[in-house]
Amino acid sequence: MTRVEIDGVERAYGAVKVLKGIHLDIEPGEFVVLLGPSGCGKSTLLASIAGLDPVQGGEIRFDGRDVARDEPSDREIGMVFQSYALYPTMTVRKNMSFALRVAGMAKPEIDERVNWAAGVLQIEPLLERKPAALSGGQRQRVAIGRALVRKAKVFLFDEPLSNLDAKLRGEMRAEIKALHEKLQTTFIYVTHDQIEAMTLATRIAVMSGGEIQQFGTPDEIYRFPQTRFVADFIGAPSMNFVDAVLRVEGGRASLEMGQVRVELDDYAFAAPPRDGQPVIFGTRPERITLQGDPSPGAIPARVTGVEPMGADTLVWLDTDGHRWSARVSPEEANALGREVHARPDPQGISLFEPESERRL
Amino acid sequence: MKDQNAIAMAAIYAFLAIAAAFFAIPLIIMLLTSFKTAEEVREGSIFFLPESWSLAAWGKAWGEACIGRVCEGIGGNFWNSVLITVLATSISLLLASLNGFALAQWRLRMSGPILGMLLIGAFIPYQIMIYPLVRLFATGGMHQTLGAIVTVHVLFGLPILTLIFRNFYIGLPEELIKAARVDGAGFFQIYGMIIVPMSVNVFLVAAILSITGVWNDYLLGLIFAGPNFQPMTVSLQNLVGTQMGLPEYNVNMAATILTALPPLAVYLLSGKYFVRGVTAGAVKG
């Protein structure tokens, strides 16, 4: 169990700043997922934690010890790569024992550790095979085993499931989660897949443009996105947005969108709202109910498409030029005409400041 | 249709057979002549089989043929060539693979310019460097020694061999090296335990290229090897080119085949890799 503190880490390739002073405080035993679109700096950050990519500023502390300038091997980390990166000429056993052999460990202890790791990952029958004779899932297991035998303080995963097919990905995801619960070691995991992030993480760090947009539990990230980027990036389809104006009358806040008024009695404002303040209103597809007749607080919309997904149905809407989506039950979807009214759930509203795009 | 195909195939095979014969005839005549006696050769019937197969010319070429006043054949020089080839090839393979690995996978600041210089090195005709090298070795007191000839072969072999290794190593996944670094391996451990076992094929290709190049060399051997380590090619030229009295064609032929045998054997034993080695040299040199 190791606390990982990332304190102002900077990395630039020439004029391009890939990491702009990252701060991240990871509790011992946490499972932190670095999530973001490609090019957001998440893999660079992971490589910096591993020591494979030199940082140009800031500190990386493992249990208070600054390791930012240490060699990867001096950091007591284990790392799993997207391409598995198994040594092709070595058997599974040799692959897993490589680090221990390099460190000059005694043979009985090497065997003991390899057998233990193989038992944890259930790959004992594969120990004498070469990587070429393994399936994708088995290779991934060996790659994890290679990190396991070292009894690393911190486990790093760089998009480990991207090369697997959908079914196997689901299985391996569950296994990695079970492994974390078993080992109670600090895990740092990079992915661009939000399902992986939501299901695995104790906390997610959403990154964009070399900065951390938000660091919080999956629930916080999903329900209370702190920036418009996070709101837009998390969730499929993404959050619906529209420009609106705040009204404050007699201490009660409400939202004005053209003719429509939405009451904001339950919204937890970060700062006191001002009357006439422009805002970006956001609501998730599953927080919208569709109805045929107009009612106060419902936004008139035209149905442009219907996508049955099985468990629910996605209805695409045109609300005065904005493309929205609503997730409704198949029965509700069948009852809809062309003209509908979309009523946002007051509990599921996010408001953003148009300039800074930060949550209000 | 079927008949036409058969005729076309027959024509193709006939052409291939003629082409093969065309290239094989000199070798066949050499072989035939080497098995004849001196008298039979003088009769001039070069296309006929020997009347009595005789190994006398081979024995003479190996151990008794006279070069100037010394009558020891070219057998001794065979071992000189072996020594030079083995030393030069193993040293250049080791250095070239290390260089290639460092250039391809170890992020070196100057790897671009170094690669450019290597390319230039592979293209410059080595003849223009002979005089400076002679002066250099003479100044260092090692002109015409085993060290000199091996060094020269290594120097001239390195650019092209390094490029071959570098081009192979550039295709290895970067994550492999990263994983090994996380596992605590240093440069030479990664090289020795992971990279070398993966590159057996490239080593074979490079070895073939180097062996044939060093063995077949004449000019460098003539200039740098000196009398004690004179390679087989040089002594062959001395044998064939300076003869007292009547030329002994059967002995010359036998000596030539003896000299050409090692590269020929390498070629026959490793045809697939040999072709790769030749094309690697052709495309990248």
Side-chain angles (χ1 to χ4, degrees):
Chain A
M1 300 250 273
T2 298
R3 173 190 297 277
V4 178
E5 292 161 292
I6 294 158
D7 193 358
V9 163
E10 289 173 8
R11 178 75 174 108
Y13 294 110
V16 187
K17 281 190 177 162
V18 187
L19 299 176
K20 300 171 185 166
I22 300 279
H23 290 271
L24 207 57
D25 207 342
I26 299 170
E27 299 288 324
E30 259 201 289
F31 195 138
V32 167
V33 171
L34 307 177
L35 178 66
S38 31
C40 71
K42 58 189 189 297
S43 287
T44 308
L45 180 58
L46 195 76
S48 301
I49 299 171
L52 294 169
D53 203 23
V55 297
Q56 285 151 341
E59 289 191 353
I60 298 169
R61 288 188 292 272
F62 288 0
D63 281 336
R65 181 173 71 99
D66 183 18
V67 296
R69 272 92 197 154
D70 288 359
E71 275 296 299
S73 49
D74 297 335
R75 301 188 184 200
E76 295 177 74
I77 49 165
M79 189 154 178
V80 178
F81 296 88
Q82 181 179 351
S83 68
Y84 320 126
L86 301 179
Y87 312 127
T89 55
M90 298 183 199
T91 61
V92 169
R93 183 184 290 281
K94 293 276 181 197
N95 258 286
M96 286 169 67
S97 63
F98 181 75
L100 308 180
R101 287 185 285 136
V102 167
M105 189 181 276
K107 192 156 187 325
E109 199 181 348
I110 292 180
D111 287 341
E112 188 194 324
R113 285 213 195 174
V114 170
N115 291 337
W116 164 75
V120 170
L121 297 161
Q122 297 173 320
I123 51 174
E124 288 113 328
L126 310 176
L127 279 177
E128 305 310 323
R129 288 205 207 161
K130 292 262 178 81
L134 303 177
S135 69
Q138 290 169 335
R139 284 180 204 185
Q140 193 60 73
R141 246 174 265 233
V142 176
I144 294 171
R146 204 166 53 178
L148 215 53
V149 290
R150 309 186 56 215
K151 307 215 162 144
K153 284 182 175 176
V154 181
F155 273 67
L156 308 175
F157 294 85
D158 191 1
E159 310 218 13
L161 306 183
S162 301
N163 285 2
L164 302 177
D165 63 51
K167 184 166 176 288
L168 207 52
R169 203 179 305 156
E171 288 170 21
M172 286 303 293
R173 202 168 66 204
E175 280 189 36
I176 290 176
K177 186 157 191 165
L179 186 71
H180 176 251
E181 270 156 25
K182 188 167 187 172
L183 297 174
Q184 296 287 316
T185 312
T186 310
F187 276 36
I188 304 175
Y189 187 107
V190 163
T191 185
H192 62 263
D193 182 326
Q194 36 177 302
I195 308 285
E196 268 173 40
M198 298 295 279
T199 51
L200 288 173
T202 56
R203 278 197 290 173
I204 298 174
V206 183
M207 292 182 69
S208 163
E211 289 171 329
I212 303 234
Q213 296 277 327
Q214 187 174 354
F215 186 38
T217 65
D219 188 55
E220 283 168 7
I221 297 268
Y222 191 78
R223 294 206 303 159
F224 307 106
Q226 291 302 307
T227 66
R228 194 188 148 161
F229 173 83
V230 176
D232 196 27
F233 184 72
I234 304 283
S238 63
M239 194 180 262
N240 302 305
F241 296 105
V242 67
D243 292 330
V245 179
L246 268 183
R247 291 287 168 214
V248 186
E249 283 154 13
R252 292 185 65 190
S254 64
L255 210 56
E256 194 179 85
M257 287 172 274
Q259 309 299 318
V260 184
R261 268 182 111 82
V262 177
E263 300 300 327
L264 292 174
D265 291 340
D266 297 320
Y267 191 80
F269 281 97
R274 287 180 287 110
D275 189 45
Q277 184 181 2
V279 293
I280 299 170
F281 163 87
T283 182
R284 296 228 174 257
E286 65 273 19
R287 295 290 194 158
I288 291 176
T289 39
L290 296 179
Q291 53 199 41
D293 301 323
S295 68
I299 301 151
R302 197 158 48 78
V303 175
T304 58
V306 177
E307 292 177 357
M309 318 273 276
D312 44 33
T313 298
L314 215 53
V315 180
W316 290 97
L317 305 167
D318 180 6
T319 58
D320 196 21
H322 296 281
R323 190 171 146 82
W324 277 26
S325 62
R327 197 185 289 277
V328 298
S329 74
E331 293 80 11
E332 282 175 83
N334 286 338
L336 291 177
R338 265 188 76 72
E339 302 296 330
V340 295
H341 292 82
R343 168 191 282 283
D345 176 357
Q347 305 283 341
I349 289 173
S350 292
L351 298 177
F352 301 98
E353 221 267 306
E355 294 286 308
S356 66
E357 302 204 326
R358 301 198 74 80
R359 188 180 184 87
L360 275 173
Chain B
M1 261 323 269
K2 214 166 186 185
D3 287 348
Q4 275 183 352
N5 272 347
I7 293 167
M9 288 309 288
I12 288 169
Y13 276 110
F15 174 76
L16 288 176
I18 292 167
F22 180 75
F23 287 109
I25 281 171
L27 183 65
I28 292 169
I29 290 176
M30 279 172 71
L31 272 170
L32 291 181
T33 309
S34 71
F35 287 113
K36 291 173 182 171
T37 59
E39 291 76 36
E40 202 184 336
V41 172
R42 240 168 275 134
E43 287 163 19
S45 54
I46 60 167
F47 285 106
F48 296 116
L49 289 176
E51 283 165 19
S52 59
W53 295 78
S54 156
L55 280 172
W58 289 75
K60 191 168 183 191
W62 183 262
E64 298 153 28
C66 295
I67 301 165
R69 253 179 271 165
V70 188
C71 294
E72 290 171 352
I74 59 170
N77 301 91
F78 172 83
W79 296 110
N80 286 346
S81 274
V82 169
L83 188 64
I84 292 167
T85 306
V86 167
L87 281 177
T89 298
S90 38
I91 294 171
S92 10
L93 286 194
L94 181 72
L95 293 180
S97 62
L98 272 171
N99 278 350
F101 172 51
L103 281 174
Q105 290 285 348
W106 228 253
R107 285 191 199 153
L108 299 175
R109 200 174 291 272
M110 296 296 284
S111 61
I114 292 173
L115 197 67
M117 281 157 67
L118 273 174
L119 269 169
I120 293 172
F123 279 113
I124 286 182
Y126 68 80
Q127 284 83 348
I128 68 167
M129 284 179 259
I130 286 176
Y131 182 67
L133 275 171
V134 169
R135 295 297 311 155
L136 211 63
F137 283 131
T139 310
M142 59 181 288
H143 186 47
Q144 300 211 322
T145 58
L146 181 64
I149 181 67
V150 170
T151 306
V152 168
H153 276 304
V154 169
L155 282 180
F156 290 134
L158 266 185
I160 185 69
L161 294 177
T162 303
L163 283 176
I164 290 175
F165 278 105
R166 182 245 172 218
N167 285 355
F168 175 74
Y169 292 143
I170 203 91
L172 294 184
E174 214 180 323
E175 291 190 338
L176 207 59
I177 315 295
K178 288 184 179 173
R181 283 178 64 198
V182 170
D183 273 345
F187 178 85
F188 287 101
Q189 278 169 321
I190 295 175
Y191 171 78
M193 294 170 82
I194 296 168
I195 299 302
V196 172
M198 285 179 74
S199 42
V200 175
N201 282 2
V202 194
F203 269 94
L204 276 177
V205 167
I208 290 165
L209 205 64
S210 171
I211 288 171
T212 46
V214 174
W215 189 278
N216 290 337
D217 156 71
Y218 169 73
L219 187 59
L220 297 178
L222 180 71
I223 297 167
F224 292 100
N228 293 332
F229 293 97
Q230 191 181 63
M232 209 172 179
T233 43
V234 176
S235 59
L236 174 70
Q237 160 62 22
N238 290 347
L239 175 72
V240 176
T242 62
Q243 202 105 36
M244 316 289 273
L246 289 169
E248 294 180 290
Y249 288 116
N250 53 348
V251 176
N252 290 352
M253 297 289 180
T256 307
I257 293 170
L258 279 173
T259 309
L261 218 48
L264 210 61
V266 168
Y267 165 64
L268 290 174
L269 292 176
S270 58
K272 181 173 70 173
Y273 296 106
F274 185 87
V275 173
R276 272 190 222 161
V278 171
T279 46
V283 175
K284 284 141 201 161

